[in-house]
Amino acid sequence: MIQTTYPSDYVNKVSLFEMSLRPGKSAFPPFTTPGRTYRFYNGTAVVPFGYGLSYTKFEYKVKGPSHASLKAITSRLSKAAFEKDYNLDTNFVEFDLNVTNTGGVDSDDVVLGFFVPPGAGKDGTPLKMLYNFERVFVPKGKSARVRFGVPALAFTQIQENGERIPWPGLYKFEFGLKETAAFKMGYYEHSMNVY
């Protein structure tokens, strides 16, 4: 699913004129908003962004770092103050995923990579963000390897004054959707402390 499907009462919780993505106060009746998109909606979606089922079953195993230092990002940001080039689109960390088709049908799987930043859902911080995805064909009983890189930009935050700073804390990485795990569609969580 390439969009979030909201419950029918969503139209009563947000004004047609409210364009803010983040949840909170609104200048329009009903004077609050539950947020928009998978990144900010704080309710329970009828069909969440990225939802999809298959005629087969998948299992994910992920290898990745448990911690990382922000020293390289801090260095890039301090140089950028003079150069106006953050160079933060390069991968900061990488994850190796093993996607196994445990069902009885050859199939494609679209692996989604989300990260949950520190303070998710508070003070305008997104609940989670999609950082990568890949479609992979996996014959029944076989596995395929997928490598996801997370750009350095994901580990920064923009302050109210417009300054981009390193964003330390505990990050959670989600591969697949928790909502499809009960259907054996492949789901894995990995935590990483960034300091």
Side-chain angles (χ1 to χ4, degrees):
M1 190 67 140
I2 59 169
Q3 69 268 343
T4 301
T5 304
Y6 305 105
S8 60
D9 68 339
Y10 181 81
V11 296
N12 300 321
K13 295 180 179 178
V14 64
S15 169
L16 178 65
F17 302 106
E18 179 59 59
M19 294 296 117
S20 175
L21 293 178
R22 289 171 168 80
K25 295 180 182 178
S26 172
F28 307 100
F31 303 108
T32 62
T33 176
R36 294 178 192 262
T37 78
Y38 77 94
R39 293 178 62 188
F40 298 106
Y41 179 57
N42 57 19
T44 302
V46 175
V47 182
F49 171 82
Y51 190 90
L53 298 177
S54 174
Y55 288 110
T56 194
K57 299 173 185 174
F58 293 100
E59 182 179 288
Y60 296 169
K61 292 195 177 168
V62 179
K63 290 182 184 177
S66 60
H67 61 278
S69 170
L70 290 169
K71 287 179 184 175
I73 292 176
T74 304
S75 173
R76 289 183 209 172
L77 288 172
S78 63
K79 289 178 183 177
F82 300 104
E83 300 170 6
K84 300 294 182 199
D85 179 20
Y86 293 118
N87 192 21
L88 296 174
D89 56 350
T90 56
N91 289 340
F92 180 65
V93 295
E94 291 187 341
F95 293 98
D96 286 315
L97 289 79
N98 192 40
V99 180
T100 303
N101 182 338
T102 59
V105 179
D106 296 351
S107 182
D108 282 2
D109 185 27
V110 178
V111 183
L112 303 174
F114 295 95
F115 74 91
V116 178
K122 297 177 186 154
D123 300 322
T125 302
L127 297 167
K128 66 181 178 178
M129 292 183 271
L130 179 71
Y131 69 89
N132 211 331
F133 66 94
E134 186 170 328
R135 177 180 294 272
V136 60
F137 176 75
V138 190
K140 64 182 177 183
K142 302 288 183 185
S143 296
R145 183 173 170 243
V146 177
R147 176 168 275 190
F148 276 179
V150 187
L153 190 67
F155 300 93
T156 66
Q157 182 180 44
I158 297 178
Q159 301 295 89
E160 286 185 26
N161 66 1
E163 178 186 8
R164 185 175 292 278
I165 62 169
W167 196 0
L170 185 65
Y171 286 77
K172 183 170 77 172
F173 294 86
E174 297 177 350
F175 302 91
L177 285 181
K178 192 179 287 187
E179 292 85 351
T180 62
F183 302 103
K184 307 289 186 201
M185 290 296 102
Y187 180 74
Y188 194 91
E189 288 183 5
H190 179 88
S191 294
M192 186 174 81
N193 189 25
V194 179
Y195 53 90

